Structure formats: structure tokens, C-alpha cells
Amino acid sequence: MRPVRAFCSDRFTIALPPGHRFPISKYARLREQVLVQCPDVELLEAPPATDGELALVHSPAYVQDAIAGSLSEQTLRAIGLPWSPAMVERARRSVGATICAARAALTDGVAAQLAGGTHHAHADRGAGFCLFNDAAVAARLVQVEAHRATRSLLRVLVIDLDVHQGDGTATIFADDPTVFTLSMHGQRNFPVRKATSDLDVELPDGCGDELYLRSLDSALHTVWTRLAAAPVQLAFYLAGADPHEGDRLGRLKLTLDGLAERDRRVFDALRERGIPVAVSMAGGYGTDIDVTVAVHLRTVFEATRSAALWATERARAGSASVVQ
């Protein structure tokens, strides 16, 4: 089998004030751990998203203000990161990594991006450490590319298991039947005012492995039922580490094993239905950043496991067709 392609952008970092809550160092640490512990992963640096690609989702005026550093003070406070050219370049690279992962997934079955999950960015504004919405831009772009290539409609599923609701993604794809959005998140967590996804599952503070996994199984069953008449051809999976019991912002109580089982169930459900998946790491704000990295690393392990099963099943299907 060919290595799982994982796209990274951690070389494009930003300077943050001491004590800032955004864990900027986790991305380089994760890449280093993947390099050492995941021989079946090919690490690739992503190109930046272009202005035109960003404008598939974001308003041109917002894109230009973000690039020029002309965002309002209110918007910058909502984003929570200081503006700089490096901030914009980092955001472009993160979107570019998810675009690359989506294209790779359509070919390979499974691909990863080692950051991403910027689901609080709306069409005309950013929030919650998110400048541009990487999954939304990548979804729109691959839809355009599929239509150009085959004149076909590519239907997309977003499975957002970050502990915070994917409000930006929900509003971007509101009333769009070609993109189904599932968000399973903490009921009392950010954002205070929730948007409306195609399916929202709200979890109580202190939710542990058993309730979480039971809720996930129920949510996925609902997704497959509602999509039975119009199956999807690509999924974006936001595998947040922030439901972990040691997360400063999470309020849930999942263990490392519980989160790995979450990932396994998502990858298995998608593979069983022949749906390629681009997985991103999304949030993670652990008191111990090494624990957050460990959660993300296990997501990568589960992605490589699923990719191996994809390759095996494709080989069997190819052998069967030759015999016939």
C-alpha cells in the first residue's frame, strides 16, 4: 500500500504573547511525532490557498480586509489572534493543507491534515482562533473540480467532533442540500449562540466515554438514514482532541482510549460505505500539551489503520473482478 498522505503547515507559525491559550506549538510537535512513529505516513508541506479559492466561501471584501490587515477591532477580538502577515500566511497554508487532503482522499480513500478544523470562520468574519474556514473552502473547491471534470455533483459530509460547535461551517452551508453538516459538541461550550447544522448533538458537561460513544453511534445512524436517498462521495472529519478529560476548554471527560475508539468508529463507518475521508486535527487545548499531541497522534494511527483496510478491500475487489 502507498503511504497515507498527511499535509502540514507548521513551518508557517505566528508569535503569540506569553500565556496565550492557543497552543501554537502543538503542530510542530505532532509532525515530529508522526515522523518518528508513523512510517506509513508521507508528510507533505501544503501550498497556500489562493484569493480565488478563499472567495469560493468567504466574501471578497472579508478576504481582502484579512490580507491587508484592515479587519475591525471587533473582528480581531472575536478571532483572538493578533493580526500579522504571518497570521494570514498560516491561515492560507492551513486551508491549502485541507484542499490537498481532500484531493488525496478522493484518490486514496484516507488522507490527513495535521492542523485545520477552523470551523468558527463564517463567510464574512472570523472567530474562535479561525480566520478562514478550511473544510468549507476545500469542500467547495473539490465540488467545482468534480463538476468541471465530469459534470457530476459531488455531495459532501462534514463530521465535526470538535468539542465546540462548528457554527461557521453550519452557516456557510445552511440550506445547501449538497453538504450535510453534523456537529457533536458540548451544550454549554463556545459559541454561546449556536448555529443550526443539519444535525446537532449537544452533550452535557462531564460527558464520558460511554455516553459519548453511544451518542456518536446514534448520530451516525441518523446521518446514514437521512442521506440514504442522496449518498455522499467525500467526508471531512474534524477530529478534535478537546473532548479529552484534560482539556482546559473542553468540559467533557473522554479518555485517550475513548477518543481513539471515536476515531475508529468514524473511519470504519465511512470505509464500510466507500466514502473517502480527509481528517483534520481541529481543537485541543490540554493542560499538558504533550497529552493533546498524543490524542492527535492516535487519530493519525487510526487513519493509517483505515487506509490499510481501504487498500486491502480494493485489492480484493480488483482480484474478484479479474476472476469474473
Side-chain angles (χ1 to χ4, degrees):
M1 104 177 207
R2 68 172 294 166
V4 175
R5 287 183 277 178
F7 297 88
C8 53
S9 54
D10 58 274
R11 186 166 64 87
F12 302 89
T13 190
I14 52 176
L16 294 174
H20 197 284
R21 292 190 301 174
F22 189 68
I24 192 68
S25 66
K26 77 171 184 176
Y27 303 104
R29 293 192 194 189
L30 176 60
R31 177 181 51 76
E32 290 164 1
Q33 288 299 309
V34 170
L35 187 64
V36 171
Q37 300 194 44
C38 302
D40 293 329
V41 172
E42 179 184 8
L43 288 169
L44 300 163
E45 189 169 272
T50 67
D51 292 4
E53 289 167 346
L54 296 173
L56 290 170
V57 163
H58 297 288
S59 70
Y62 174 67
V63 172
Q64 290 308 309
D65 284 347
I67 293 169
S70 303
L71 297 172
S72 69
E73 287 298 321
Q74 180 181 4
T75 298
L76 286 174
R77 280 197 302 272
I79 293 171
L81 298 172
W83 184 91
S84 68
M87 171 213 189
V88 177
E89 182 65 14
R90 178 185 176 275
R92 283 187 188 271
R93 296 278 175 166
S94 186
V95 176
T98 303
I99 290 171
C100 289
R103 289 169 174 160
L106 287 169
T107 300
D108 303 342
V110 180
Q113 105 97 313
L114 299 187
T118 48
H119 57 171
H120 299 307
H122 296 249
D124 60 352
R125 67 187 189 280
F129 306 140
C130 305
L131 183 63
F132 303 127
N133 193 309
D134 62 301
V137 173
R140 278 286 180 252
L141 183 58
V142 294
Q143 284 184 321
V144 169
E145 291 174 342
H147 188 263
R148 285 175 179 168
T150 64
R151 294 290 183 241
S152 63
L153 174 63
L154 184 78
R155 295 185 180 275
V156 172
L157 168 63
V158 179
I159 299 176
D160 190 338
L161 301 188
D162 188 281
V163 81
H164 306 105
Q165 193 211 30
D167 57 326
T169 311
T171 58
I172 286 167
F173 294 122
D175 303 316
D176 182 346
T178 71
V179 180
F180 189 100
T181 54
L182 160 64
S183 180
M184 196 165 99
H185 51 266
Q187 182 180 28
R188 297 179 59 203
N189 215 315
F190 180 88
V192 175
R193 294 182 180 178
K194 306 294 192 288
T196 302
S197 309
D198 290 299
L199 178 60
D200 285 298
V201 179
E202 297 193 321
L203 302 168
D205 285 3
C207 173
D209 293 349
E210 183 178 355
L211 174 58
Y212 189 97
L213 294 171
R214 190 165 66 244
S215 300
L216 175 60
D217 288 343
S218 176
L220 291 175
H221 176 75
T222 300
V223 169
W224 309 135
T225 300
R226 291 176 59 179
L227 292 177
V232 298
Q233 292 83 42
L234 176 65
F236 291 88
Y237 173 32
L238 279 64
D242 42 14
H244 184 257
E245 60 191 347
D247 197 89
R248 289 178 295 163
L249 306 182
R251 305 172 73 130
L252 304 188
K253 297 296 181 182
L254 272 71
T255 65
L256 279 167
D257 288 343
L259 285 164
E261 178 62 24
R262 171 202 68 174
D263 295 338
R264 190 174 303 118
R265 293 187 188 192
V266 172
F267 285 123
D268 285 351
L270 292 169
R271 191 189 68 258
E272 289 164 6
R273 290 161 179 80
I275 303 171
V277 56
V279 58
S280 59
M281 299 302 106
Y285 311 91
T287 304
D288 184 344
I289 197 167
D290 289 331
V291 174
T292 298
V293 171
V295 175
H296 289 319
L297 186 63
R298 291 187 72 169
T299 298
V300 177
F301 287 156
E302 290 302 325
T304 59
R305 169 187 167 274
S306 185
L309 291 170
W310 267 88
T312 299
E313 290 169 8
R314 286 179 170 179
R316 287 175 181 168
S319 298
S321 64
V322 169
V323 171
Q324 292 174 358

